Amino acid sequence: MREFSVLPGRAVAELLAGRETEVVEWVREAYLAHEAGDTVNPDSYFLRFPDKPDSRIIALPAYLGGTREVAGIKWISSFPANVAEGLPRASAVLVLNDYRTGHPFALLESAGISAARTAASAALAATALGAAAPATVGVIGAGVIARTICQYLAATGVPLTDVTVHDRDDVSAAALTGHLARTHGASSRAGDLREALGCDLVVLATTALRPHIGEGHTLRPGQVILNVSLRDLAPGLLLTAQNIVDDIEHCLKADTSPHLAEQLTGDRSFIAGTLADVLLGRCAPDPGRAVVFSPFGLGVLDLAVGHHLYQRAGEAGRLLPVPGFFGETSRW
């Protein structure tokens, strides 16, 4: 029986640092394993609060087969009101379970892992969908996820030479533009929504609960939209684009923009395929339309990144064992 260990957030951050291209590859492998049926990824479970409609805690259980053979669950909260108090919006833990026995063997601080796998997914999609060298990048929503996505875009060769950042909070927009200039040498500025949405590559990373980008806005051919926050685009606007998702069943629920588009049209024919289809050459970007990538976020991605980090932490002596964590280690 494996000893139970903890991997704290500082160790997670240090193990992730400089590994962006590796993380993208881990995420790519997980997508392909999922496409091959070598995963189990049930629906996410949302804990909501009547007096806090913008807040939630989500459970993402999953199993990743192949060479990993690990199960687990991410438990991640999103409390947007934290931002006004200078606290992180999101916090998370990831539990890893042994596939043979079912016993949990590790607890990882996972806000950083969740941000990294989200950013890696976005960067993978950007390059796969033809946005490797956009002249302009627009970022709508200037939080941790947006910052991490920009980090992964830069690491995978997407130039941040001309970036427009839009956020309803001017302080957040200024903070991200300053960070991009200092860290990536980016020529960045705060701009309005229309300016950001008009860029060649657009990152949507807000906490919007319902669509706010629709009437009066257009998407143009050749644009790639990373619809990470999932609820910004009105369904009518979404239907003007070629739509790629990470998983059709998962993405078309919980009132995401694609889910609203399905309700509007009555079918799913507007979905061109999945990112795995693109990676495998079964679906190609349509140059005559904007391409929108909508990733619901799969628990298998957290497992892939978390298990890799667990292994590297063990090799580096960074795991913190918890002796006696299990009350009984034998049946009798």
Side-chain angles (χ1 to χ4, degrees):
M1 189 172 180
R2 277 197 263 190
E3 185 174 54
F4 189 82
S5 300
V6 172
L7 188 61
R10 178 173 295 182
V12 168
E14 291 172 354
L15 289 165
L16 283 171
R19 280 197 164 102
E20 291 88 354
T21 56
E22 286 183 69
V23 177
V24 171
E25 182 57 26
W26 300 342
V27 165
R28 177 182 174 279
E29 291 171 355
Y31 273 133
L32 294 179
H34 185 62
E35 178 66 20
D38 206 6
T39 66
V40 180
N41 203 106
D43 286 346
S44 301
Y45 297 89
F46 289 71
L47 175 61
R48 300 187 184 275
F49 310 94
D51 60 340
K52 290 186 175 185
D54 64 339
S55 301
R56 61 189 186 272
I57 309 179
I58 311 173
L60 289 83
Y63 162 73
L64 179 60
T67 59
R68 298 285 107 196
E69 286 208 325
V70 61
I73 188 168
K74 179 174 73 170
W75 180 239
I76 182 167
S77 69
S78 175
F79 279 54
N82 287 354
V83 174
E85 299 180 33
L87 299 172
R89 174 189 60 83
S91 57
V93 294
L94 175 66
V95 177
L96 301 180
N97 292 76
D98 185 279
Y99 179 58
R100 186 178 67 85
T101 67
H103 287 115
F105 62 85
L107 176 71
L108 291 71
E109 195 283 330
S110 197
I113 293 172
S114 186
R117 68 83 149 146
T118 300
S121 171
L124 178 64
T127 54
L129 295 172
T136 56
V137 176
V139 180
I140 299 170
V144 171
I145 297 300
R147 183 184 72 202
T148 311
I149 290 173
C150 288
Q151 173 187 337
Y152 275 71
L153 289 173
T156 51
V158 177
L160 301 179
T161 53
D162 187 347
V163 184
T164 299
V165 177
H166 172 72
D167 194 288
R168 292 188 303 176
D169 177 27
D170 292 339
V171 174
S172 295
L176 182 56
T177 57
H179 170 80
L180 294 176
R182 291 189 305 273
T183 306
H184 304 290
S187 174
S188 59
R189 62 188 178 279
D192 63 24
L193 175 61
R194 192 173 298 277
E195 289 178 297
L197 190 63
C199 292
D200 298 328
L201 173 64
V202 179
V203 177
L204 296 174
T206 76
T207 57
L209 296 177
R210 57 191 60 87
H212 59 99
I213 302 173
E215 187 175 348
H217 295 281
T218 58
L219 304 179
R220 58 178 172 77
Q223 278 187 298
V224 173
I225 315 294
L226 303 177
N227 185 29
V228 176
S229 42
L230 287 175
R231 294 172 178 85
D232 299 273
L233 299 173
L237 185 60
L238 193 76
L239 291 171
T240 67
Q242 181 188 31
N243 286 279
I244 306 295
V245 299
D246 55 355
D247 181 286
I248 295 174
E249 289 297 330
H250 286 268
C251 196
L252 271 65
K253 56 171 59 78
D255 289 335
T256 63
S257 294
H259 186 205
L260 296 178
E262 179 190 27
Q263 295 174 45
L264 181 65
T265 62
D267 61 46
R268 299 178 171 185
S269 61
F270 65 93
I271 300 294
T274 65
L275 182 56
D277 288 327
V278 175
L279 296 174
L280 293 169
R282 300 193 301 229
C283 178
D286 180 355
R289 290 187 290 171
V291 180
V292 176
F293 173 57
S294 299
F296 193 79
L298 303 176
V300 292
L301 304 184
D302 298 282
L303 283 185
V305 176
H307 194 245
H308 273 288
L309 292 182
Y310 169 82
Q311 290 180 316
R312 280 153 179 74
E315 294 164 359
R318 301 297 301 273
L319 294 173
L320 300 181
V322 184
F325 179 82
F326 295 104
E328 296 186 8
T329 56
S330 60
R331 188 175 177 214
W332 292 104

